[in-house]
Amino acid sequence: MTAGATYFASRALLPNGWARDVRLAVSPAGDLVECRPGAAAQGAERLRGAVLPGMPNLHSHAFQRAMAGLTERAGPGDDSFWTWRELMYRFVVRLEPEDLEAVAAQLYVEMLKAGYTSVAEFHYVHHDRDGSPYGDPATMSERIVAAAAGAGIGLTLLPVLYQANGFGGVPPAAGQRRYVMPTDAFLALFEELRRRFAGRPEIAVGVAPHSLRAVGEGSLAAVAEASRVVAAPIHIHVAEQVREVEECLAWSNRRPVEWLLDHQAVDRRWCLVHATHLSPEETARLAGSGALAGLCPTTEANLGDGIFPLPAYLAAGGAWGIGSDSHVSVSPIEELRWLEYGQRLTTGRRGVAAPRLGSTGERLWRAALAGGATALGRPVGALEPGHRADLVVLDEEVPALAGRSDDRLLDALVFAGNANPVRDVMVGGKWVVRDGRHSREETVFARYRAALERLMAED
Ligand SMILES: [Zn+2]
């Protein structure tokens, strides 16, 4: 019996901090109905280590997992974000629906084993290889849903609107034909996905206007309004690259985040992915808006994007979460470590994420839980009644965690060692990882390997 069960944790991270002897009761639907510290273990299944809420991953392009490590060779000229994007376009040309599902399923299994229990999928490959819509326009979205359901990870599906190849409506390039969609077709897809997956507690649907480069003012307004009336999450890439800021200034005389805040009622439903290049005014305004900064430190490092102004953003009360984006790393530990280390390297200070007294690791973990849950628009990220029973049990026998209690445990988790201490993982009341193994990992990996062979074959 995995649903409708009661568990006992000798210690667990509750909303108010670490608690001892915690009874966690889960409804048959997979929701937490009781999280009581100081309780007896009688009649409950004992969890085999310290328990954390599972981490939401707020930004993923699943198919890019199949490209991780392939873009590290120097090309002609400067090897930059823009040459990486060219390779990504060549790769995506071949992707069939079964390939997308195979790659996404492999990725989601890896996420679960690393402690992510839900993901926001920023999904933009909608059409067939020649750019024509599939008979069912939701064909590729269905593959993402199937991959998530098969792996057992919670999903916020964010169909992406992509219409232009630069500010001011530059026509899309041939390599972008699988993404491009008229606004009315996009809004119909959004409604259809909401209808199809209503009543599935592991799935939410939001929208993702790709970026200010790719979506014009009128389309952005239409999509924002469609999401507002149903209170759905809205995610957008913004200010990732210096060149993007320069092009936005040339087009509008505004910086990208400044333009967005001037033209849209940005609030906590919004997740601004990257937002790396901010002026001090933008930093303060973004923090004050309640929107999330969607930080993807390992991808941002891999692509050479730059460093997010975290100290000023935190000082202004800004909220943030983490995403693994291009999946050069699939580990919440590594995202949080890189976030803090990037700040230390540029500021010459330690504990940047925890400017006041206390544990840096715990502050990082808790902020990413809260921000990620908001960005995903699902009741996750907390061991609290009414939230999904998404939890991670840590193996306290790994050397890096031995003898570390409470917030020192999270400092050790984030900053000490390379072992993955995730032992067991539950999503929506169901065990998906036990003793570090996912129940379907062999099947999923065999399909992934076959898909890679197709994708990597010489022409
Ligand atoms: Zn992205």
Side-chain angles (χ1 to χ4, degrees), residues 89 93 129-131 165 171-179:
Y89 285 167
V93 160
R129 293 173 58 166
D130 64 0
N165 191 26
Q176 297 164 336
R177 63 179 178 267
R178 301 193 71 175
Y179 322 155

Side-chain angles (χ1 to χ4, degrees), residues 126-127 133-141 181 185 189 196:
H126 300 299
H127 304 317
Y134 288 103
D136 172 7
T139 293
M140 291 299 240
S141 296
M181 205 183 279
L189 175 64
R196 261 185 224 190

Side-chain angles (χ1 to χ4, degrees), residues 130-436:
D130 64 0
S132 58
Y134 288 103
D136 172 7
T139 293
M140 291 299 240
S141 296
E142 286 277 8
R143 294 293 185 149
I144 293 289
V145 170
I153 198 166
L155 175 69
T156 297
L157 179 63
L158 303 169
V160 172
L161 179 63
Y162 199 105
Q163 297 183 322
N165 191 26
F167 291 96
V170 177
Q176 297 164 336
R177 63 179 178 267
R178 301 193 71 175
Y179 322 155
V180 175
M181 205 183 279
T183 305
D184 56 352
F186 176 81
L187 294 175
L189 175 64
F190 173 52
E191 275 316 302
E192 174 61 17
L193 294 171
R194 279 174 39 79
R195 188 192 64 74
R196 261 185 224 190
F197 303 118
R200 299 257 304 255
E202 297 303 344
I203 303 176
V205 180
V207 292
H210 179 276
S211 58
L212 299 179
R213 282 185 284 119
V215 178
E217 184 174 353
S219 300
L220 177 63
V223 171
E225 177 61 12
S227 71
R228 189 190 63 77
V229 295
V230 295
I234 177 167
H235 292 213
I236 185 169
H237 291 130
V238 71
E240 178 177 9
Q241 295 276 318
V242 171
R243 178 168 146 186
E244 180 192 339
V245 176
E246 290 167 351
E247 288 176 354
C248 191
L249 278 165
W251 165 65
S252 68
N253 211 26
R254 299 264 198 291
R255 301 169 58 87
V257 171
E258 179 186 17
W259 189 95
L260 189 60
L261 293 167
D262 284 348
H263 287 81
Q264 284 295 324
V266 171
D267 60 15
R268 69 195 302 274
R269 281 188 310 105
W270 287 72
C271 177
L272 276 61
V273 180
H274 306 302
T276 309
H277 299 286
L278 300 177
S279 68
E281 293 75 22
E282 288 176 305
T283 305
R285 287 182 68 194
L286 178 59
S289 75
L292 273 295
L295 307 178
C296 307
T298 63
T299 293
E300 289 155 10
N302 185 271
L303 295 176
D305 288 347
I307 301 272
F308 180 79
L310 188 66
Y313 188 69
L314 292 179
W320 58 273
I322 50 165
S324 55
D325 192 0
S326 69
H327 314 301
V328 287
S329 166
V330 185
S331 162
I333 295 169
E334 207 177 6
E335 297 304 334
L336 295 175
R337 186 184 295 165
W338 270 90
L339 176 63
E340 173 67 23
Y341 281 177
Q343 299 296 325
R344 291 186 188 187
L345 287 165
T346 50
T347 64
R349 292 193 284 118
R350 303 179 75 243
V352 178
R356 293 182 290 279
L357 288 175
S359 154
T360 305
E362 183 170 332
R363 274 186 184 260
L364 285 166
W365 197 272
R366 289 164 72 99
L369 286 174
T374 303
L376 266 64
R378 298 185 57 240
V380 296
L383 300 179
E384 193 171 24
H387 287 66
R388 301 296 290 164
D390 289 4
L391 53 89
V392 168
V393 182
L394 297 178
D395 181 356
E396 297 177 63
E397 301 305 309
V398 301
L401 302 190
R404 301 288 186 262
S405 63
D406 298 351
D407 61 1
R408 293 182 184 224
L409 184 78
L410 283 167
D411 284 337
L413 181 70
V414 176
F415 297 109
N418 303 312
N420 175 14
V422 173
R423 171 180 261 172
D424 304 318
V425 179
M426 175 186 285
V427 178
K430 296 193 178 91
W431 291 114
V432 289
V433 173
R434 296 287 257 176
D435 287 318

Side-chain angles (χ1 to χ4, degrees), residues 114-138:
Y116 289 120
T117 47
S118 51
V119 58
E121 182 63 37
F122 200 102
H123 167 59
Y124 57 93
V125 184
H126 300 299
H127 304 317
D128 209 338
R129 293 173 58 166
D130 64 0
S132 58
Y134 288 103
D136 172 7

